Amino acid sequence: PPPPAPRASDSRPDMKVELEIRLGPGGELLTARVVQSSGSEAFDRSALQAVNRINTFPVPEEPRLFEHFRTLNLVFKPEDLP
């Protein structure tokens, strides 16, 4: 397997960033923004880049169920990012 990508040099094990993502009906990423910063601009940017690399998220096909997936909050910690 390839070596892990380098992490932001200022990342700490106790830091976390919360992102809000909005998805379209087909699961396509519409927006991603930082809701609560980790305090590290580099780490926050890494989390946003990780989310932006996923063009389409799996979502329920039924519109009524999809409404629960339209806006999601995700929390990333250093160990979550490649």
Side-chain angles (χ1 to χ4, degrees):
R7 294 187 183 152
S9 60
D10 58 348
S11 69
R12 300 177 317 274
D14 63 330
M15 74 171 36
K16 63 182 180 181
V17 59
E18 183 177 352
L19 304 181
E20 177 189 85
I21 65 168
R22 295 203 57 214
L23 303 175
E28 65 276 6
L29 179 65
L30 300 176
T31 62
R33 69 181 185 95
V34 174
V35 175
Q36 176 138 13
S37 174
S38 66
S40 165
E41 186 177 323
F43 182 69
D44 294 356
R45 188 172 45 251
S46 292
L48 281 169
Q49 289 171 346
V51 166
N52 282 307
R53 279 195 292 268
I54 304 171
N55 292 330
T56 306
F57 288 77
V59 294
E61 292 181 20
E62 187 178 327
R64 192 170 46 95
L65 289 176
F66 168 71
E67 287 306 313
H68 298 282
F69 290 83
R70 182 177 294 279
T71 302
L72 300 172
N73 282 30
L74 305 174
V75 175
F76 288 90
K77 299 174 187 171
E79 61 268 19
D80 295 335
L81 298 177

